[in-house]
């Protein structure tokens, strides 16, 4: 999110940023025929999203094998481990949401790759949204509404619920939308406004 490439992919050509180089034509601004799949901003964004997915999938998949205080006094507290898994699921949902919003169809990567692969199965947007909503629902059930102390700044249930509202709202305009998407988006955001513990 702090890279120029992310800004190029998500902001150029919108009502937020009209032109990044005043004296030159930019394919990302004006969608010219020179805009191709191998544009550096686009390919780097794709690569960073899938690298991040690999990492959160590893955290989620390996969590059951993490040594906890139940088995060893030097282990992690099980409640902390569960919170970290909730954070990872919320982050995975965010990355998948960025992918489906930008590409529509792509490989739906929800487990850690354990070996190199030379093929990928493409999933449609409906499968992405199903996984995103499942991950956010799992995260909301585990995470605190508003982290405090040393957890300040970490993913919270309120942030995950706000993201889920955006997911519902976005899916609501798709051909595979659920009839309750707009109602669910409204209910999630009203709950965040009224019950998150944040001043809005």
């Amino acid at each position: 999110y702090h890279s120029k490439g992310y800004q190029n992919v998500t902001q150029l050509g919108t009502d937020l940023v009209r032109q990044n180089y005043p004296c030159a034509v930019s394919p990302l601004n004006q969608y010219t025929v020179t805009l191709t799949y191998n544009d550096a901003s686009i390919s780097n964004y794709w690569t960073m999203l899938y690298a991040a997915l690999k990492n959160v999938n590893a955290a989620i998949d390996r969590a059951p094998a993490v040594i906890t205080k139940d088995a060893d006094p030097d282990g992690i507290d099980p409640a902390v481990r569960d919170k970290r898994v909730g954070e990872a699921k919320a982050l995975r949902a965010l990355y998948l949401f960025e992918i489906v919003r930008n590409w529509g169809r792509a490989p739906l990567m929800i487990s850690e790759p354990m070996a190199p692969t030379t093929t990928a199965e493409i999933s449609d947007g409906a499968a992405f949204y199903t996984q995103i909503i499942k991950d956010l629902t799992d995260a909301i059930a585990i995470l605190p509404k508003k982290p405090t102390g040393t957890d300040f700044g970490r993913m919270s249930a309120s942030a995950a619920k706000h993201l889920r509202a955006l997911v519902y709202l976005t899916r609501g305009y798709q051909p595979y939308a659920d009839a309750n998407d707009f109602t669910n988006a409204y209910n999630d955001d009203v709950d965040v406004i009224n019950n998150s513990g944040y001043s809005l």
Side-chain angles (χ1 to χ4, degrees):
Y1 289 110
H2 67 280
S3 71
K4 182 175 180 254
Y6 174 78
Q7 299 301 321
N8 287 346
V9 171
T10 61
Q11 308 301 317
L12 294 180
T14 70
D15 57 352
L16 298 176
V17 178
R18 190 176 139 288
Q19 184 77 15
N20 61 339
Y21 298 113
C23 300
V25 172
S26 170
L28 284 168
N29 282 348
Q30 292 138 341
Y31 310 115
T32 62
V33 294
T34 56
L35 178 61
T36 63
Y37 72 92
N38 63 350
D39 177 273
S41 293
I42 295 170
S43 61
N44 288 341
Y45 188 39
W46 173 277
T47 300
M48 287 188 291
L49 284 167
Y50 276 97
L53 273 177
K54 174 187 66 71
N55 293 337
V56 294
N57 285 334
I60 294 165
D61 292 352
R62 295 181 187 197
V66 170
I67 297 171
T68 62
K69 288 187 182 291
D70 303 340
D72 183 333
D74 292 329
I76 190 172
D77 184 297
V80 172
R81 179 201 56 194
D82 293 346
K83 280 200 298 189
R84 299 302 176 251
V85 170
E87 292 167 0
K89 285 187 174 188
L91 288 172
R92 178 167 69 185
L94 175 63
Y95 303 146
L96 292 174
F97 189 44
E98 291 287 349
I99 290 167
V100 74
R101 282 196 300 178
N102 283 284
W103 286 277
R105 300 172 68 238
L108 181 57
M109 188 170 135
I110 56 170
S111 59
E112 179 186 11
M114 302 306 288
T117 181
T118 57
T119 60
E121 183 178 330
I122 300 295
S123 296
D124 63 9
F128 269 80
Y129 279 98
T130 298
Q131 182 63 46
I132 292 164
I133 291 169
K134 179 186 181 312
D135 280 343
L136 290 171
T137 302
D138 290 349
I140 290 164
I142 296 168
L143 297 174
K145 280 188 180 182
K146 181 179 179 182
T148 57
T150 58
D151 280 344
F152 181 79
R154 288 185 174 275
M155 179 62 77
S156 67
S158 297
K161 189 170 280 191
H162 173 66
L163 177 59
R164 189 173 68 179
L166 180 58
V167 169
Y168 282 134
L169 186 62
T170 306
R171 185 177 70 173
Y173 290 99
Q174 300 301 322
Y176 45 79
D178 183 278
N180 297 314
D181 278 342
F182 294 128
T183 301
N184 289 334
Y186 174 82
N187 290 338
D188 271 355
D189 266 343
V190 166
D191 185 59
V192 169
I193 291 167
N194 293 331
N195 303 309
S196 66
Y198 292 97
S199 298
L200 301 176

